[in-house]
Amino acid sequence: MRVVADIPNPHVKITLHSYNNKYILKLEKANLEQIYKIEETEVAGDEGAMALLDEDFIEAVVNRFQDMRDAFVSTVRRNS
């Protein structure tokens, strides 16, 4: 897997990879991560893949991280 770019963002760590004719967007926050796989034919190169990271998408990702954290904390509390 080749790292195409580390994309600066104040809310999450974003890394764009290229592997097996796909772009892989890896977004991380604390001990959680989200991965999105995009066929290379669906976007116009590296810039097309990075263009997907608009404000609305990042906001949805951050909200999803909060939901993931809440679900994990809840299960730990129930099962400890």
Side-chain angles (χ1 to χ4, degrees):
M1 188 171 352
R2 176 177 69 90
V3 174
V4 175
D6 288 315
I7 302 162
N9 184 280
H11 307 289
V12 294
K13 178 182 179 196
I14 305 172
T15 309
L16 177 64
H17 299 271
S18 177
Y19 178 73
N20 203 20
N21 298 319
K22 290 182 175 70
Y23 285 107
I24 300 169
L25 277 171
K26 182 176 178 182
L27 300 101
E28 301 172 79
K29 185 168 182 133
N31 61 339
L32 303 170
E33 67 181 38
Q34 296 176 47
I35 296 176
Y36 298 85
K37 296 178 182 177
I38 307 140
E39 295 289 334
E40 286 182 352
T41 57
E42 293 181 16
V43 293
D46 299 354
E47 282 74 29
M50 288 187 268
L52 298 174
L53 299 167
D54 64 13
E55 188 175 315
D56 289 341
F57 179 72
I58 297 298
E59 181 179 350
V61 164
V62 169
N63 290 338
R64 193 165 297 113
F65 274 128
Q66 185 62 48
D67 291 343
M68 292 168 68
R69 182 187 173 285
D70 292 347
F72 185 72
V73 168
S74 292
T75 195
V76 167
R77 286 182 180 154
R78 283 191 311 272
N79 295 289
S80 293

